[in-house]
Amino acid sequence: MIDAIIDTDPGIDDALAILLALKSGRFRVHAMTTVAGNSPIEDTTANAEFLLALAGRGDIPLYTGARKPLQRDLVTAPVHGKGGLAGVRQDRPASLTDDAPAKTVEIVRDSTQPITLIALGPLTNVAQAILLDAEAMSRVQEIVVMGGTFGGPGNMPHGSEFNLYVDPEAADIVFRFPVRTAVVPLEVCDPLKFHSDYFKALRDEDIRRPVTRMMSGFYETLLSLKQEAGVALYDPITVYYAINPSAFKLTPRQISIGLDDSTDRGRTTGTAVIDSESSGLNFVAESLDLQAFRRDFIKLLNG
Ligand code: BDR
Ligand code: CA
């Protein structure tokens, strides 16, 4: 069992990542925390509530965090459609607790088992938790991050990736923090494209219906925008890393992140680690056994 906190900004691929984590039975999820990213915090929180209920896990505590990045205005990703989940959730106001960083610190400090922190959105909450209590946060076993690109074209200006572009200052804090970080970048996930058809094998009809609707909506939107045939699912692959790290090839890298709006905001550079002193902190996934993920994803979602 992996003791985990999932920090997320659902988002369609976050939604599938959350369902993967909750249905797989591989995690003891101590809390879900929401952050503003793909959509404003009200939507990411209402979506997280909706997904916990969908998975039958309303018992998992949900805390809400940052309403905006540390130093910047929020940039959202309208590509996820109405409400951030292609309109599948009924409108319902979310109650905001604003305490995700404090609760993260508390859980990490008090847990008898080391916590894996899975970050699927901008890193604002994680950075705030570090700023709040670095000593407690140094007990985190591993921070697993969906973010960045190392040599790929990116999906935001300056060849950056969305999560790190939205809050580069937060990412900078996290990558400098002396806790092991495993980063799953865009290019590891991009070769694998999904269609709603893949999810027809979901056994639970109550989950199959909204998932296939979300995926069809996402597919249509991406097709109209980029003529892209199929949807890359970044966040579930990041959760899969926590489940099956041996399916990934990781390389130690010293990660630096651009902070300049006009030239390199959010752009990641991974320098090869040569001396042993700086090794052992940040690891970047370079490849994934794509067939293993395609095979396991649906099995794990089916529980
Ligand atoms: C990341 O950005 C978001 O839109 C997705 O949910 C994913 O976490 C990919 O760049
Ligand atoms: Ca996300």
Side-chain angles (χ1 to χ4, degrees):
M1 246 342 163
I2 304 153
D3 285 83
I5 297 174
I6 301 175
D7 185 67
T8 175
D9 62 335
I12 293 172
D13 60 335
D14 298 75
L16 285 156
I18 290 165
L19 293 172
L20 172 61
L22 300 182
K23 299 309 278 182
S24 68
R26 305 293 177 94
F27 295 88
R28 191 175 298 115
V29 180
H30 291 243
M32 266 194 7
T33 54
T34 52
V35 64
N38 284 321
S39 304
I41 192 76
E42 290 80 3
D43 275 332
T44 61
T45 303
N47 292 344
E49 261 168 18
F50 167 78
L51 292 159
L52 285 171
L54 193 63
R57 293 304 312 270
D59 58 305
I60 294 175
L62 176 64
Y63 305 112
T64 80
R67 298 173 184 221
K68 62 183 278 300
L70 292 182
Q71 297 178 22
R72 298 166 186 268
D73 292 335
L74 178 64
V75 177
T76 59
V79 72
H80 293 264
K82 183 168 175 271
L85 293 183
V88 302
R89 165 184 57 85
Q90 299 303 312
D91 271 337
R92 204 175 130 224
S95 44
L96 302 184
T97 60
D98 293 317
D99 55 356
K103 291 292 183 185
T104 299
V105 164
E106 201 178 297
I107 293 166
V108 168
R109 195 188 50 216
D110 297 346
S111 172
T112 53
Q113 300 301 319
I115 298 287
T116 297
L117 189 45
I118 300 178
L120 306 176
L123 290 166
T124 323
N125 287 344
V126 183
Q128 278 176 338
I130 291 170
L131 294 173
L132 206 58
D133 193 335
E135 197 279 319
M137 289 301 286
S138 68
R139 297 185 204 179
V140 167
Q141 169 144 307
E142 185 174 38
I143 307 175
V144 180
V145 174
M146 190 289 121
T149 175
F150 298 82
N155 57 8
M156 293 300 280
H158 313 308
S160 301
E161 178 280 330
F162 179 79
N163 289 336
L164 305 192
Y165 178 88
V166 172
D167 198 343
E169 284 77 16
D172 192 43
I173 290 170
V174 173
F175 292 137
R176 288 173 192 274
F177 189 59
V179 153
R180 180 185 159 103
T181 304
V183 178
V184 179
L186 291 175
E187 59 273 17
V188 166
C189 314
D190 273 330
L192 207 49
K193 299 285 197 269
F194 287 87
H195 303 89
S196 55
D197 273 6
Y198 176 83
F199 298 96
K200 288 192 175 147
L202 279 170
R203 278 200 294 267
D204 183 339
E205 206 206 321
D206 291 339
I207 294 185
R208 186 169 69 239
R209 226 178 310 109
V211 165
T212 48
R213 266 187 62 200
M214 274 190 289
M215 283 299 292
S216 309
F218 208 11
Y219 178 80
E220 293 304 326
T221 309
L222 288 175
L223 194 64
S224 66
L225 287 176
K226 299 199 267 182
Q227 307 299 310
E228 199 159 288
V231 178
L233 290 173
Y234 304 107
D235 295 338
I237 289 179
T238 305
V239 165
Y240 185 64
Y241 166 77
I243 296 174
N244 185 15
S246 64
F248 293 76
K249 181 173 178 288
L250 288 195
T251 308
R253 295 263 179 236
Q254 218 168 346
I255 301 175
S256 57
I257 177 134
L259 301 173
D260 187 324
D261 250 330
S262 55
T263 57
D264 63 1
R265 170 178 175 176
R267 196 165 70 211
T268 33
T269 314
T271 313
V273 171
I274 30 173
D275 63 287
S276 57
E277 241 169 63
S278 53
S279 71
L281 275 188
N282 295 326
F283 292 82
V284 176
E286 306 225 315
S287 61
L288 157 69
D289 179 344
L290 300 171
Q291 295 320 316
F293 179 72
R294 187 176 274 283
R295 181 195 64 220
D296 291 349
F297 188 23
I298 197 78
K299 273 198 213 155
L300 292 164
L301 282 169
N302 276 327

